[in-house]
Amino acid sequence: MDLAITGRTALITGGSKGLGFASAEALGREGAKLVLAARTESTLTDAARKLDAVPIIADLAQRAGVLGCIDDTRDAIGNPDILVINSGGPAPATFAETTPDGWRVAADQLFHFTIEMLDAFLAPMREKGRGRVVVITSFAAREPIANLLYSNALRAGLHGLINSIAAEVAGDGVTINAVMPGYIKTDRMTGIGLDLDRIAATIPAKRLGRPEEVGDLVAFLCSDRAAYITGQAIACDGGILKGI
Ligand SMILES: NC(=O)c1ccc[n+]([C@@H]2O[C@H](COP(=O)([O-])OP(=O)(O)OC[C@H]3O[C@@H](n4cnc5c(N)ncnc54)[C@H](OP(=O)(O)O)[C@@H]3O)[C@@H](O)[C@H]2O)c1
């Protein structure tokens, strides 16, 4: 299937590793010109070299970092045709462990960062009459995980935002969707001391997902072929989420 992405420009935030990198790789394979943003110069330049992408060093949990990333992206490729919004996850916490400051930090990291990106890039997409936005969230937005309060709450909020925006921009050829990864074997997952074999046994597919399985879904949603899919939160989770 030709996804008709060749020649499109794409910004993938958190694009140096894991799900962001896999999304960039899939978009690059389909011919998109890529910009990747992340904080760590060494992994970012490695990833950019592999994918022939433009690297932008930015801390997207800080407003100044987000605004700098927006400017640098415009300098590199203009306003992107494709925007994949992704970053690190917030700290784990039960509700008893959360704090008002912790909520503010997590909101900057997930919610305010997303708003700034959309504020910068949705209007040019609408003017152009086409655009694709994918926000990587989590299955935890629909099926809360006990000690991930910040993530559970803020990502469910992102879904509300996406649903609302989708209706506003659909008539201008712009789509916006969320992708909800289940347990996907990225560096992050292998590095936080989880018992991955035990988790895999609880997943209907009986295994963790591969980053490229998320990347392929992101690339499809960013393609012309997905022009009639918008305002959705689509899981890539091996069957964890069972309800609609
Ligand atoms: N993997 C899973 O199973 C899974 C499941 C559900 C949801 N998710 C969510 O999906 C997202 C990506 O997960 P992942 O597993 O791909 O993580 P990952 O392998 O750790 O990759 C995260 C990427 O985001 C960048 N990043 C993190 N914090 C950043 C910041 N403040 N500013 C700019 N870039 C930042 C990282 O680079 P630097 O560290 O160099 O900045 C890296 O490129 C996370 O939000 C995670 O919570 C993942």
Side-chain angles (χ1 to χ4, degrees), residues 14 16 19 39-40 58-60 86-88 137 155 182 184 186 188:
S16 66
L19 305 180
R39 292 167 303 181
T40 312
D59 182 352
L60 300 167
N86 166 65
S87 181
T137 62
R155 285 178 156 144
I184 313 293
T186 62
R188 181 170 174 275

Side-chain angles (χ1 to χ4, degrees), residues 18 41 73 80 102-103 118 132 145 158-159 184 187 205 212 219 221 226:
E41 187 170 2
T73 300
W103 281 106
L118 295 173
R132 295 284 180 270
I145 297 176
L158 284 175
H159 287 179
I184 313 293
D187 288 353
E212 58 272 24
L221 291 172

